[in-house]
Amino acid sequence: MSGLTLTARAVSDATTVRTQCAVVPVFSGEALQGAAKALDSAGGGSLSATLKLEDFSAKRGQSTLLPGAAKAQRILLVGCGKRGDFDRVAAREFARTVYSALNGTTAKDALVLLDDLSVHDATAEWLLETLARSLATGAYRYTETVSEPQPALTVSKVTVSSVLGKGPAQTALDAGAATASGINTARNLANLPANICTPSYLAQQARKLARGNSKLTVQVVDEKQMRELGMHSFLSVTAGTAEPARLIIMNYSGGRKSDKPYVLVGKGITFDSGGISIKPALKMDEMKFDMGGAASVLGTMTAVTEMALPLNVIGVIAAAENMPSGTATKPGDVVRSMSGKTIEILNTDAEGRLVLCDTLTYVERFKPEAVIDIATLTGACVVALGSHASGLYSNTDELADALLAAGTEAHDRAWRMPLWDDYTKQLQSNFADLGNIGSAGGGSVTAACFLSEFTKNYSWAHLDIAGTAWDAAPKWATGRPVGLLTRYLIDRAGK
Ligand code: BES
Ligand code: MN
Ligand code: ZN
């Protein structure tokens, strides 16, 4: 999707490799070493001369382009700051700088020389994976509905040399590239407008992913089948729209038959107007991103299939549009969910939990190892955590810890929130078993508590990504939490 190929190669002498651009990390306040030193000698001291001028002092985030030396057409020096301070934060900045500096050249290929670069608090694998992910996500462009999209990255082949052997290095690059494919897939789906990205469109994309992959099968449940299944909570959300709802099931069997599947469930509200409890006009367009959870499920399935992980993973998308009309659900209506529990719909804008609760009941049939739902569920979560952390809720500590660790590792972090009975009490209704909104306060928690009423039969976690799925300015989907989910699944496959 990014059009970028990343290849590992052990380069013992940087002056022997033909490349349009040699990318050389440089630390500040020390003499040139390794590949930098070799290229400097081959180029008659041009690197050390540049450092002497002090325009480029190898500070973090700094880069400069020099004429070629030996078999390199050009040399890109990338500042890394002090060697003693080169940690994960610095390494992520290094990776971003490599991308933006390469984006400023017309080179078609590049050779990134990392042998001299080690990250204090991370492995060499982490560095390669991070670099690969950064380059391939940087290369993403939104093209579908604009006449003159941002020009594509000209670099299409990147070779990376590091202290790792070729095999492990390639595995790390592949993991980073696959994660990036997943992130880019999720971003693109979420960026698409709601008149293109409908529930049926999402179903088509799932089918497209399965094409030619014998390990992935797709099943799509339509409204008639949902009615037979008793999914009246789900159906209440789609009652007001002309756009048909879809429950999309992507079944990937990379593991043994007897391995229990990991199930991902994504909220796929392709547009959330609020329904009869209609939203204000300001920023209502952003509710095209209300399928960010669904996009992250399709994205993660993309990454999982690309890596052919030896696991069974089922991705499920609850797709519907939430609109007001003469046939729409009204505040005060009571519906019976698939679980048998009745729900008083006090606010038709609290629709995510209504499609999710039936979907969470539906997935019991898979006898899951764990179920993780991902949803742009509440504005309250944005108030609580802003845009840096997704809200994490879980009925199983081990699952919660594994997801938190994966989020840290992938720098796609989550923060655990409580699921206490005290909050569940806020959902009491006089006219049904549950109301779909809580009395005032803790809106992200009461939404999660609502879901927890439907997930008692398996290990479950919920990620509220309302604050993390897209950036407000500039307005773009982030592809989160594909990084977290993919890392979590890679870790499960390694066990
Ligand atoms: N999709 C929204 C949540 C949302 C709002 C995500 C803003 C990102 C930014 C969700 O369906 C919703 O409308 N939630 C309501 C719930 C309320 C009616 C209890 C909310 O958060 O206001
Ligand atoms: Mn809503
Ligand atoms: Zn919503």
Side-chain angles (χ1 to χ4, degrees):
M1 179 151 203
S2 64
L4 199 64
T5 316
L6 290 134
T7 314
R9 174 169 171 188
V11 174
S12 52
D13 181 355
T15 63
T16 62
V17 184
R18 188 168 302 284
T19 176
Q20 293 194 3
C21 186
V23 180
V24 182
V26 183
F27 286 108
S28 61
E30 62 172 53
L32 293 172
Q33 304 195 21
K37 194 174 169 190
L39 286 165
D40 188 43
S41 323
S46 62
L47 277 68
S48 41
T50 302
L51 285 170
K52 240 179 231 130
L53 286 177
E54 290 183 342
D55 297 331
F56 175 82
S57 52
K59 280 203 280 276
R60 280 190 199 177
Q62 222 187 1
S63 69
T64 193
L65 200 61
L66 302 182
K71 293 187 170 168
Q73 272 182 7
R74 17 168 128 53
I75 296 176
L76 182 63
L77 300 185
V78 180
C80 295
K82 291 213 179 70
R83 190 182 286 271
D85 299 338
F86 199 72
D87 56 7
R88 287 180 186 229
V89 178
R92 276 197 301 272
E93 184 168 0
F94 166 77
R96 281 195 302 272
T97 309
V98 172
Y99 164 75
S100 52
L102 281 178
N103 192 36
T105 74
T106 55
K108 293 198 178 67
D109 70 75
L111 170 69
V112 186
L113 297 154
L114 298 183
D115 300 73
D116 186 38
L117 203 60
S118 69
V119 189
H120 294 316
D121 48 357
T123 60
E125 281 88 350
W126 179 91
L127 175 62
L128 290 197
E129 192 176 320
T130 300
L131 177 72
R133 196 175 66 212
S134 190
L135 293 178
T137 54
Y140 165 73
R141 303 287 185 272
Y142 177 80
T143 59
E144 261 90 346
T145 51
V146 283
S147 306
E148 284 175 38
Q150 288 287 101
L153 183 70
T154 50
V155 175
S156 62
K157 276 188 200 142
V158 176
T159 305
V160 184
S161 169
S162 84
V163 291
L164 283 176
K166 201 168 150 27
Q170 191 62 52
T171 305
L173 290 175
D174 289 348
T179 307
S181 295
I183 291 171
N184 290 346
T185 299
R187 280 155 99 191
N188 204 52
L189 285 169
N191 283 333
L192 284 170
N195 60 327
I196 294 177
C197 187
T198 59
S200 318
Y201 182 89
L202 287 173
Q204 267 174 35
Q205 295 310 300
R207 289 217 156 94
K208 197 167 137 197
L209 181 63
R211 217 169 286 152
N213 188 333
S214 60
K215 288 188 181 145
L216 184 65
T217 56
V218 171
Q219 189 203 341
V220 179
V221 176
D222 64 17
E223 290 180 14
K224 179 168 172 275
Q225 292 164 304
M226 286 185 212
R227 206 157 289 121
E228 285 157 15
L229 287 159
M231 304 178 88
H232 300 292
S233 178
F234 193 132
L235 287 166
S236 74
V237 175
T238 195
T241 178
E243 207 55 69
R246 297 283 182 261
L247 177 66
I248 306 158
I249 300 126
M250 294 168 272
N251 197 328
Y252 169 76
S253 27
R256 287 178 302 238
K257 246 206 167 89
S258 57
D259 293 344
K260 289 178 161 185
Y262 293 90
V263 177
L264 307 177
V265 172
K267 170 178 171 182
I269 300 298
T270 56
F271 189 73
D272 179 15
S273 70
I276 297 296
S277 315
I278 199 161
K279 287 182 181 292
L282 188 73
K283 299 210 267 183
M284 205 208 268
D285 64 291
E286 292 186 13
M287 285 298 115
K288 73 171 185 179
F289 294 123
D290 211 19
M291 35 60 74
S296 78
V297 171
L298 245 157
T300 304
M301 295 309 284
T302 303
V304 165
T305 51
E306 196 168 311
M307 285 181 287
L309 286 185
L311 287 177
N312 296 331
V313 185
I314 303 179
V316 183
I317 290 173
E321 192 180 70
N322 186 23
M323 293 289 274
S325 81
T327 59
T329 299
K330 304 166 291 298
D333 286 0
V334 175
V335 294
R336 186 179 297 279
S337 67
M338 185 177 175
S339 73
K341 282 193 168 75
T342 57
I343 301 166
E344 184 183 15
I345 302 175
L346 292 159
N347 189 318
T348 64
D349 197 12
E351 84 298 336
R353 63 199 80 180
L354 297 175
V355 295
L356 288 172
C357 70
D358 277 347
T359 307
L360 290 167
T361 301
Y362 181 89
V363 302
E364 278 183 16
R365 68 187 57 205
F366 300 127
K367 306 201 172 18
E369 179 67 36
V371 177
I372 303 160
D373 80 69
I374 308 101
T376 48
L377 204 63
T378 64
C381 192
V382 191
V383 175
L385 296 172
S387 62
H388 300 295
S390 303
L392 169 68
Y393 298 84
S394 182
N395 63 12
T396 308
D397 290 342
E398 205 189 334
L399 174 60
D401 290 344
L403 289 167
L404 290 172
T408 301
E409 198 62 19
H411 197 63
D412 181 359
R413 290 180 287 187
W415 189 255
R416 192 161 180 193
M417 306 274 278
L419 274 176
W420 299 331
D421 281 350
D422 310 67
Y423 291 98
T424 312
K425 285 195 189 114
Q426 295 185 27
L427 297 164
Q428 278 166 7
S429 154
N430 287 340
F431 303 106
D433 302 335
L434 280 172
N436 80 326
I437 55 171
S439 48
S444 176
V445 186
T446 51
C449 287
F450 179 93
L451 297 178
S452 77
E453 290 295 301
F454 300 86
T455 60
K456 298 200 188 289
N457 296 334
Y458 47 69
S459 286
W460 161 76
H462 159 61
L463 287 164
D464 192 332
I465 60 164
T468 54
W470 74 92
D471 285 330
K475 206 177 283 182
W476 288 115
T478 59
R480 290 178 70 182
V482 172
L484 180 160
L485 294 168
T486 305
R487 187 71 244 169
Y488 168 76
L489 292 171
I490 294 174
D491 290 345
R492 298 314 98 194
K495 285 223 161 107

